């Protein structure tokens, strides 16, 4: 009989720098979303490629899932794995949906919600259940209007289900074949759409599947192939390399070439580099905090971007004012995300983990 502590309580040590890089990418996404409102033309945005952070997330997820579960998946089984992932991810999906609903309805600068008042309940429930429901054409036809970043969680769940069904046991030869196929599909999607900022809307949903298909597999391949690059680099230096990708200029004619190269080669390299980099004691706390705040920040920020958009549409402020709002908005959202993590997400996940252990012991002893 397998003891619950073998896969409920005990976890392997984290790659702390990879956790920290997740926070750097999440912060870049928040700044990017504010910039989309202030400077809609990506050619004029200083952080135009931060939408590729999602591909980095997917690659990192594949690496971390393989590292955390490959060695114990057969003992714990699909149900325990999927339950663990739900407990880790879903509380913030629901919290983000609640925040999104409240901001949509009580937006002081827009009454757009009145047009969709008959659909609010379905919109909210589908957002909580992560069922794509593109509806609001006035705001880019997002799969999940109340909290748009949920689109990437939808595909993360699909990847996790794929891992539970067959990827956990796929041999490296087959994994290589799937990854190469996914790379060709990624290039095709980039050429078809002109870039890789797809997957979030009702008219480009398939692009999200292609993005996660490659990057999640690539992350698994990096771990199983033991491509860990040991070096004297630390959290700061690897973070700067990651930020350099997000700060690349937007090149309309070349994005379909440059972006697949970054995703196919650059992000697996950065994951391997981050896994082998050194973490001085002086940076350990920063790295941990960055990793801890990353997911809450990613999942609660966007309703306030909608609020910023409503303000801009109504008042048409100048660039200086929008810059000030962006700076203080990003800082405020980091603080808000931290409070959500400490007061809601962490206690809720702790309670759910306790229920899971009790349920396991009830039915297995």
């Amino acid at each position: 009989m397998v003891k619950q502590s073998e896969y409920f309580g005990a976890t392997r040590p984290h790659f702390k720098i990879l956790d920290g890089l997740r926070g750097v990418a999440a912060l870049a996404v928040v700044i990017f979303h504010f910039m989309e409102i202030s400077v809609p033309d990506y050619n004029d945005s200083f952080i135009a490629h931060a939408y590729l952070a999602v591909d980095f997330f997917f690659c990192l997820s594949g690496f971390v899932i393989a590292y955390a579960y490959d060695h114990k998946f057969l003992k714990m089984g699909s149900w325990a794995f999927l339950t663990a992932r739900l407990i880790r991810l879903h509380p913030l999906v629901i919290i983000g949906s609640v925040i999104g609903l409240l901001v949509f309805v009580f937006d002081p600068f827009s009454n757009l919600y009145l047009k969709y008042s008959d659909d609010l309940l379905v919109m909210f429930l589908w957002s909580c259940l992560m069922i794509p429901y593109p509806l609001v054409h006035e705001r880019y036809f997002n799969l999940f209007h109340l909290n748009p970043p949920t689109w990437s969680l939808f595909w993360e769940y699909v990847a996790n289900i794929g891992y539970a069904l067959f990827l956990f046991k796929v041999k490296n030869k087959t994994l290589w074949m799937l990854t190469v196929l996914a790379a060709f599909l990624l290039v095709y999607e980039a050429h078809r759409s002109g870039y890789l900022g797809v997957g979030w809307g009702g008219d480009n949903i398939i692009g999200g599947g292609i993005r996660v298909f490659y990057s999640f597999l690539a992350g698994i391949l990096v771990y199983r192939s033991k491509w860990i690059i040991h070096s004297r680099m630390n959290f700061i230096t690897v973070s700067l390399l990651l930020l350099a990708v997000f700060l690349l200029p937007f090149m309309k004619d070349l994005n379909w070439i440059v972006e697949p190269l970054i995703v196919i080669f650059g992000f697996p390299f950065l994951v391997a580099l981050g896994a082998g980099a050194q973490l001085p004691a002086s940076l350990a706390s920063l790295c941990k905090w960055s990793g801890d705040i990353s997911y809450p920040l990613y999942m609660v920020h966007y309703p306030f971007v909608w609020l910023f958009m409503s303000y801009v549409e109504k008042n048409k402020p100048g660039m200086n004012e929008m810059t000030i709002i962006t700076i203080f908005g990003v800082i405020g959202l980091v603080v808000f995300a931290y409070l959500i993590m400490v007061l809601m997400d962490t206690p809720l996940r702790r309670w759910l983990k306790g229920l899971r252990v009790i349920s396991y012991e009830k039915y297995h002893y």
Side-chain angles (χ1 to χ4, degrees):
M1 180 179 295
V2 180
K3 295 181 179 180
Q4 56 88 17
S5 60
E6 289 186 36
Y7 53 82
F8 281 169
T11 58
R12 304 178 80 184
H14 290 177
F15 286 98
K16 294 180 181 179
I17 289 181
L18 294 182
D19 288 342
L21 291 176
R22 188 183 294 110
V24 173
L27 185 62
V29 168
V30 176
I31 297 170
F32 167 76
H33 284 150
F34 272 95
M35 287 298 296
E36 279 191 305
I37 308 303
S38 301
V39 187
D41 188 344
Y42 287 176
N43 291 290
D44 299 324
S45 175
F46 77 94
I47 195 165
H49 274 102
Y51 54 80
L52 294 180
V54 173
D55 303 272
F56 179 73
F57 290 146
F58 288 150
C59 187
L60 190 56
S61 177
F63 180 92
V64 171
I65 290 294
Y67 168 71
Y69 293 102
D70 271 5
H71 69 289
K72 63 182 179 182
F73 189 87
L74 289 176
K75 290 183 178 179
M76 69 186 302
S78 298
W79 178 249
F81 167 77
L82 293 174
T83 301
R85 298 306 291 157
L86 277 170
I87 290 173
R88 175 66 185 95
L89 299 174
H90 213 74
L92 277 167
V93 171
I94 296 175
I95 291 168
S97 298
V98 171
I99 294 171
L101 178 64
L102 292 174
V103 171
F104 190 41
V105 173
F106 295 105
D107 185 340
F109 310 110
S110 172
N111 59 3
L112 180 62
Y113 83 95
L114 291 174
K115 181 176 178 180
Y116 297 96
S117 58
D118 293 340
D119 300 292
L120 279 177
L121 179 59
V122 175
M123 193 185 299
F124 173 70
L125 291 176
W126 268 213
S127 182
C128 289
L129 296 172
M130 293 208 313
I131 300 173
Y133 190 57
L135 181 68
V136 184
H137 285 271
E138 294 88 346
R139 293 198 169 173
Y140 312 122
F141 203 41
N142 282 277
L143 297 181
F144 303 94
H145 171 74
L146 296 180
N147 196 21
T150 305
W151 78 266
S152 63
L153 269 294
F154 169 79
W155 287 114
E156 174 72 19
Y157 274 37
V158 170
N160 284 190
I161 292 169
Y163 177 85
L165 292 178
F166 64 93
L167 287 176
F168 76 91
K169 60 183 177 182
V170 165
K171 302 299 182 183
N172 267 17
K173 182 178 180 180
T174 303
L175 186 61
W176 264 107
M177 294 172 61
L178 290 172
T179 306
V180 170
L181 171 62
F184 278 109
L185 290 175
L186 194 75
V187 173
Y188 167 77
E189 177 59 36
H191 184 265
R192 185 177 71 90
S193 298
Y195 73 142
L196 285 175
V198 293
W200 47 267
D203 52 357
N204 58 50
I205 183 173
I206 298 302
I210 293 173
R211 291 172 76 181
V212 74
F213 182 31
Y214 173 77
S215 291
F216 191 79
L217 291 178
I220 295 175
L221 195 58
V222 169
Y223 170 70
R224 292 185 183 170
S225 300
K226 297 180 173 59
W227 292 337
I228 295 178
I229 303 173
H230 295 282
S231 72
R232 295 183 179 181
M233 300 185 75
N234 60 33
F235 172 55
I236 299 298
T237 51
V238 182
S239 294
L240 290 174
L241 290 176
L242 180 61
L243 284 173
V245 172
F246 303 149
L247 298 176
L248 281 175
F250 192 79
M251 300 167 284
K252 185 176 180 180
D253 295 332
L254 295 176
N255 281 329
W256 75 272
I257 299 174
V258 173
E259 292 180 7
L261 288 175
I262 291 170
V263 174
I264 292 171
F265 300 107
F267 287 156
F269 172 76
L270 283 177
V271 169
L273 194 63
Q278 299 179 4
L279 183 60
S282 59
L283 295 176
S285 295
L286 173 62
C287 202
K288 182 181 185 306
W289 180 84
S290 177
D292 289 346
I293 201 69
S294 61
Y295 185 50
L297 181 61
Y298 184 73
M299 287 303 292
V300 304
H301 79 277
Y302 208 98
F304 300 97
V305 175
W306 282 145
L307 197 64
F308 178 48
M309 181 176 181
S310 297
Y311 177 80
V312 170
E313 288 176 341
K314 182 178 181 179
N315 296 295
K316 297 176 173 54
M319 181 55 67
N320 288 339
E321 182 179 349
M322 289 191 291
T323 299
I324 293 172
I325 292 173
T326 296
I327 293 171
F328 284 97
V330 172
I331 294 171
L333 282 169
V334 170
V335 174
F336 180 66
Y338 178 79
L339 292 174
I340 290 291
M341 177 183 71
V342 172
L343 300 177
M344 300 181 69
D345 181 48
T346 300
L348 183 55
R349 287 193 289 115
R350 187 180 297 122
W351 177 71
L352 290 171
K353 286 179 181 178
L355 288 182
R356 182 178 63 164
V357 172
I358 292 171
S359 175
Y360 180 91
E361 291 176 344
K362 178 179 178 181
Y363 290 104
H364 291 79
Y365 289 91

